[in-house]
């Protein structure tokens, strides 16, 4: 979860926002930035939300591939399933398609993920998005409040 919709993509979006703010100050630190006047208020720049989303998605895919490859090379069997321990060395699993399986092993690595929940208040779902939802918005949200 941290890699897919957690701290990694959120940090990348934060860095992108800081970069945009930094464009205004860049000329004072020796950077040449296109402007149409003599002050930093006439700075011309454009941000592509779809390009940012694509870059974040690609970075996440790259991290997922790297983690999965490293696990495979180390001989770790990866299961994307809901699991319940039924004994000290036994795990009952169910995947997205509902297939159930018993798995035994000396050791298990359990990676859990959480999802944000909407408040159960009138109008909340119409006026708010979760931090996970931010990554699938078709347009940039504008100003946000956390």
């Amino acid at each position: 979860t941290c890699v897919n919709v957690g701290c990694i993509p959120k940090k990348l979006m934060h860095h992108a926002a800081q970069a945009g703010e930094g464009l205004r100050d860049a000329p004072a630190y020796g950077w040449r930035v296109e402007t149409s006047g003599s002050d930093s208020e006439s700075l011309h720049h454009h941000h592509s939300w779809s390009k940012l989303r694509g870059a974040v998605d690609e970075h996440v895919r790259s991290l997922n591939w790297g983690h999965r490859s490293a696990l495979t090379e180390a001989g770790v069997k990866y299961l994307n399933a809901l699991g319940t321990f039924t004994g000290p060395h036994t795990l009952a699993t169910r995947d997205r398609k509902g297939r159930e399986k018993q798995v035994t092993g000396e050791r298990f690595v359990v990676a859990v993920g959480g999802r944000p929940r909407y408040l159960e208040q009138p109008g909340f779902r119409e006026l708010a998005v979760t931090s996970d939802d931010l990554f699938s918005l078709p347009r940039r949200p504008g100003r946000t409040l956390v």
Side-chain angles (χ1 to χ4, degrees):
T1 300
C2 186
V3 170
N4 297 320
V5 291
C7 57
I8 302 292
K10 289 171 183 144
K11 187 129 191 147
L12 292 171
M13 293 244 178
H14 179 73
H15 284 308
Q18 286 182 318
E21 290 177 0
L23 284 173
R24 272 186 298 242
D25 298 331
Y29 295 101
W31 291 94
R32 195 159 98 205
V33 179
E34 185 180 326
T35 61
S36 63
S38 61
D39 61 33
S40 63
E41 294 303 315
S42 57
L43 176 70
H44 292 288
H45 65 285
H46 171 75
H47 180 263
S48 169
W49 176 255
S50 62
K51 188 170 184 173
L52 172 62
R53 279 187 50 203
V56 169
D57 288 346
E58 182 58 36
H59 187 76
V60 167
R61 275 194 296 276
S62 171
L63 290 174
N64 280 325
W65 175 256
H67 294 322
R68 203 147 180 193
S69 294
L71 289 170
T72 301
E73 287 176 18
V76 175
K77 184 172 182 177
Y78 175 85
L79 298 173
N80 186 1
L82 178 64
T84 303
F85 282 101
T86 58
H89 299 282
T90 307
L91 192 63
T93 68
R94 186 176 63 238
D95 67 15
R96 286 186 211 178
K97 295 181 180 178
R99 295 179 295 216
E100 296 183 357
K101 183 198 275 189
Q102 292 282 339
V103 180
T104 59
E106 181 65 29
R107 296 186 182 105
F108 292 96
V109 175
V110 180
V112 299
R115 297 276 187 239
R117 294 183 189 190
Y118 284 100
L119 294 176
E120 296 301 325
Q121 299 294 321
F124 190 84
R125 288 182 186 258
E126 294 78 24
L127 299 172
V129 296
T130 69
S131 56
D132 290 4
D133 297 336
L134 182 71
F135 305 114
S136 61
L137 293 176
R139 293 179 292 290
R140 72 182 154 129
R143 296 182 187 266
T144 58
L145 173 66
V146 179

